[in-house]
Amino acid sequence: MTFVQLIECRTDKVDDLNRLMDSWVEQTRGRRTATHSMVGADRADGRHVVEIVEFPSYEEAMRNSKLPETDRIFREMVALCDEPPTFTDLDIVRDEQLNKQTVRRFMDGLSAGDLSVLDQLMAEGYHDHDIADETDVVGRDAMREKCTGWLDAFDLGMTVESQLADGDQVATRWTFSGLHKGEFMGLPATHKRVEMTGTTIFRIEDGMICEGWWHWDSMSMMRQLGLVRM
């Protein structure tokens, strides 16, 4: 179970606190068990500083606390604060990764041929980068036209294999399988079933997909359709 520790203190030496954390990160490289750390200043009270540290489990957090560098950094942190820091230990019982869910809904919608997901989940000014296209597609309507072309050409299915989220970006590894039922890149329907893999990175703002980078095995698809021979 993921474990999170909140460390709260009062200080006006936030820059010194950040440098202290940078030092700890460098000195514990390869040995620390923390997986994510953030330091935030209270907007209503800039002297109220909260550090949020994430660990894979409580046991890993305890291992981390026993590092000699952790003990030293803590003593130096206390010296920077107006009063001793307070600690809150949290076992995470729910972890909503909304951006990943947004991308999965979008992929599932495309797989079902439901282009209404573009209006629901894609920003009007969406910017699309595709490794197979020389020119980027810009705008939700232009993306709708592109998706329509794929749906007309293939009885497609997309399966989300795995996802990684980092900040406002979500990387999704997917598998494509589709029956070639209509014209594609000038090639009439072959009624061949093609399969390929790919990865898409989406950037999300305010719950809407606003930019995407598609990397897919275009050469494999071309070979399966007989467009290239190697």
Side-chain angles (χ1 to χ4, degrees), residues 209-226:
I209 300 171
C210 60
E211 193 167 10
W213 294 263
W214 297 78
H215 299 266
W216 51 284
D217 192 353
S218 57
M219 289 302 297
S220 174
M221 174 174 275
M222 298 302 105
R223 285 195 296 269
Q224 292 175 65
L225 291 176

Side-chain angles (χ1 to χ4, degrees), residues 33-86:
T33 60
T35 57
H36 191 191
S37 177
M38 296 185 292
V39 177
D42 189 337
R43 182 177 289 272
D45 180 0
R47 294 174 61 83
H48 177 206
V49 177
V50 181
E51 181 183 1
I52 306 170
V53 188
E54 181 179 319
F55 300 90
S57 66
Y58 172 78
E59 290 72 21
E60 292 296 329
M62 293 304 98
R63 282 183 53 203
N64 195 83
S65 67
K66 293 177 181 177
L67 294 174
E69 294 85 358
T70 300
D71 181 64
R72 181 181 61 79
I73 291 295
F74 173 70
R75 286 186 277 108
E76 293 184 27
M77 177 182 177
V78 170
L80 293 174
C81 297
D82 299 344
E83 54 194 35
T86 62

Side-chain angles (χ1 to χ4, degrees), residues 120-131:
Q120 299 168 13
L121 304 174
M122 185 167 283
E124 186 175 355
Y126 172 80
H127 190 158
D128 192 74
H129 314 267
D130 190 326
I131 193 171

